[in-house]
Amino acid sequence: MERGDVTAVGKEQLIALTTSDFLSNEAPEEKNSGLSAWEQATEVLQLTQLGVDRSSWAAFWVTEHGYLCYANEGACQCLGYSRTQLYQMNIGEIDPEWGAAKWDQLWAAVKLRGSLTLETQHQRADGTAFPVELTANYVELKGSAYLCCFARDITKTKQAEVEWRHQQERERLVGTIATKIRQSLNLPEILQTTVDEVRPLLQTDRVLIFKFNPDWTGVVSVESVNDSSFSILAQTIYDPCFNRSYVEQYQEGRVRAVTDIYNEGLDECHIQLLSQCQAKANLVVPILFNQELNITANQQLLHHQFSGYNTIATSQLWGLLIAHHCQGTRQWHEWEIDLLKQLATHAAIAIQQSTLFERLQLANRELELLATSDSLTGVANRRMFDEHLEREWRRMLREESWLSLILCDIDYFKRYNDNYGHQAGDACLQRVATAIGDAVRRPGDLVARYGGEEFAVILPNTNRTGALQVAEAIRMSVRELGIPHSASGVAWMVTLSLGAATAFPSPNGEPEMLIAAADEALYEAKAKGRDRLAHSTLQRR
C-alpha cells in the first residue's frame, strides 16, 4: 500500500478486522441485556477502540512500506505530533534506526514470528530521543499486511538501570578501598587506587588528592588524569584566597560542587588557580583528620630521619579529594557527591591507620635506640658493641677482609671527676663521644661506649694502616676540643690513650681475640706515657 492509500484505511477497516476476529470465534450466548451478538460485538469493539485511543502507551499501525495509518493519543503525546502529522510520516522518521534496509529486516522478522518485542529509540518532534520497549504484531486484512505496534517509554527504567549500575560500581569501589585499608598499610598505594578507580567512574578529566601544609599551601600527592589534560602531580599550590574564604567551611565538612567556575561566585584568585589547571567545573570534598598526635622529641628526630611519604598531621583538615572537569561545565549528581564523601572518609581512615602505624614504628625505633645506645653520650652501648663486633667478624670472615678495633681511654678521668665534679665529667664524656664520632666518617663504622671513660671503634674492611690513621684522627679530634684538665699528668687538656688491633678473621678465631689484642695495645700506650696510640696485629691461623 502506498502513501495515497494510507488515508483510505481509517478506523472502519481496523474495526472490521477486529470484528471479523471476534465473529470468527464462537459467538457469546445472548444475555438478558436484549442485545444481539452483533450489537455485543460492536459494543466490545467500541470499548476496545476507546481503550486503545486513551492508553498511555503509544499504539500505531504501520503499513508494509513503513507508513503510519493509525496512531492513538498516547503516541501523539509522547512523540509531540498530531495524528494528521503522524499519518503523513514514515516509521523511520520517528525511529531513525529503522531506515529502508533495517525496516525490511524488521518486517520480515515480525512476519516470520508473528510477534516481536525489542528495545529501540523514538525521536520526538523537537529532535530529542527516548528509549522505548516496542512490541510489533503481524496482521493481514483483505490482502494487505500491517504491523500493530505498542511502544512503552522506558526512560525511567533505563535511568533506574544506570543508577543501579552506578550503585554497584560505587559499592565495588568503596569495597576495594576498604579491603586495601584492611590489607595494606601502604598509604600512597591506597590513595593512588582511590583516584585511579574513581576518575573513570565519574567520567571526568582529573581526580587528585591534595595534602595541606601547616601554612595552607599544599602539594598534589596523588593524581589520575586523562590524556587530554596535563598533570599537576607533585606541584606545590598556594591559593591566597583559601585561608580567607574556604578553610573554615572545609573544616566543618562542607562539600563544594561547582558547575561553572565563572558563575559560582568564586573569588577571582581561586578562579585563576582553577583555570590554570584547565578546570571548568570541580567537585571538592574535605579529608578530615581529627586525631591530635603527640610525639616525643626522639620520635620527631626519628620521624624526620626515616619517614618518606607521610608527615604527621595535627591539623583537623588533612587535605582535599578533588575532581576536575576540564572539557566544559558540568552538573554534579548527588550520587557522585556521595561517592566522593565516602571515599574521603575511607581515605581519612587510611591516613589515620598509616599514621598510627608510623607512630608505632617510631616508638619501636625509640625503644630500639634506647636498648642499643648509651643514654649519656648517644653512641652505641656495650650490648650493641658486642652484637656488632660479632656480626662484622662473621662478615669479614665471609668476605676475607681485614677487621680493626680501637679502644680509647680518657687519660686520668678519675682525677677529672674529682677535680671538676661528676656533672662536668658527664659533659666531658659527651663532648669526647662527639669528637670520636666526627673522626669516624664511614657509615659502616661503629662508635660505642665500652664502659666508664672507655670508648670503642669497630672498623670493618680496615687494615693496620687504616686503623692507625683513624686512631690518630680520633686522638687529635679530642685534643682540639681543648677541654681543660688541670689534674692531668699528661697535658693541660683532656687527652686519649688508644690501642688498636687488626685481624684477618679465620674460622679458628673469635672476636674476643681482637678485643684482647686492642686492650693489650691500649695498656702499652698508657705505659709509654699516655696521649698516644699503640697497635697490635693478630697473626692469621
Side-chain angles (χ1 to χ4, degrees), residues 11 49-61 68-79 81-83 86-87 149-151:
K11 292 185 181 179
Q49 186 65 39
L50 185 63
V52 172
D53 277 344
R54 297 188 178 181
S55 172
S56 60
W57 286 28
F60 45 87
W61 288 64
L68 277 71
C69 58
Y70 167 75
N72 70 347
E73 187 60 31
C76 296
Q77 290 179 357
C78 69
L79 293 171
Y81 293 103
S82 67
R83 290 191 183 186
L86 287 173
Y87 292 163
C149 302
F150 294 90

Side-chain angles (χ1 to χ4, degrees), residues 250-510:
Y250 287 132
Q251 283 180 333
E252 294 173 353
R254 177 177 176 179
V255 174
R256 192 170 187 91
V258 177
T259 300
D260 181 352
I261 66 170
Y262 298 104
N263 294 292
E264 295 280 344
L266 300 179
D267 291 337
E268 186 60 35
C269 52
H270 194 52
I271 294 175
Q272 184 178 359
L273 173 63
L274 290 172
S275 63
Q276 288 174 353
C277 297
Q278 297 179 312
K280 294 182 174 62
N282 74 331
L283 175 58
V284 184
V285 178
I287 300 174
L288 297 173
F289 185 69
N290 297 313
Q291 182 171 356
E292 195 72 28
L293 300 175
N294 296 311
I295 61 176
T296 68
N298 279 341
Q299 286 174 335
Q300 288 178 349
L301 178 63
L302 287 167
H303 174 79
H304 290 300
Q305 182 178 357
F306 292 104
S307 66
Y309 183 82
N310 292 333
T311 55
I312 292 181
T314 58
S315 176
Q316 183 183 16
L317 181 60
W318 185 92
L320 302 171
L321 175 57
I322 304 173
H324 281 168
H325 202 69
C326 304
Q327 300 174 25
T329 60
R330 170 168 179 165
Q331 183 71 44
W332 300 99
H333 299 293
E334 194 65 34
W335 71 264
E336 295 170 323
I337 298 172
D338 290 341
L339 174 61
L340 257 63
K341 288 168 66 175
Q342 282 184 289
L343 293 177
T345 299
H346 281 285
I349 293 171
I351 293 164
Q352 181 177 15
Q353 178 176 283
S354 177
T355 305
L356 291 175
F357 179 70
E358 184 178 326
R359 289 183 63 195
L360 177 61
Q361 287 182 311
L362 290 172
N364 287 337
R365 291 189 187 113
E366 185 178 18
L367 290 174
E368 182 180 349
L369 185 63
L370 291 173
T372 59
S373 65
D374 178 62
S375 59
L376 176 63
T377 62
V379 299
N381 60 13
R382 179 60 182 270
R383 170 189 168 186
M384 183 62 178
F385 167 82
D386 291 337
E387 293 176 356
H388 193 75
L389 182 61
E390 178 72 29
R391 193 160 50 243
E392 290 302 316
W393 181 277
R394 292 196 300 268
R395 187 166 72 90
M396 295 302 101
L397 177 62
R398 291 192 304 272
E399 296 180 8
E400 297 184 347
S401 183
W402 293 97
L403 177 64
S404 292
L405 172 65
I406 303 173
L407 293 181
C408 315
D409 187 76
I410 301 177
D411 294 325
Y412 299 108
F413 187 70
K414 184 178 183 305
R415 295 183 187 180
Y416 187 94
N417 269 336
D418 292 342
N419 192 37
Y420 296 101
H422 288 284
Q423 286 187 342
D426 288 347
C428 176
L429 289 171
Q430 291 171 339
R431 293 184 67 185
V432 168
T434 300
I436 295 173
D438 290 342
V440 179
R441 302 183 180 278
R442 296 187 312 177
D445 300 337
L446 178 76
V447 177
R449 188 178 180 190
Y450 193 68
E453 68 274 19
E454 284 189 292
F455 294 89
V457 181
I458 300 173
L459 304 170
N461 299 113
T462 304
N463 59 17
R464 180 180 186 278
T465 302
L468 289 173
Q469 289 175 348
V470 174
E472 180 62 17
I474 292 172
R475 190 181 73 85
M476 293 305 298
S477 180
V478 172
R479 282 184 65 89
E480 288 169 2
L481 292 175
I483 302 173
H485 188 357
S486 59
S488 172
V490 181
W492 65 268
M493 68 191 74
V494 170
T495 58
L496 291 183
S497 295
L498 304 96
T502 302
F504 197 93
S506 65
N508 298 324
E510 296 291 341

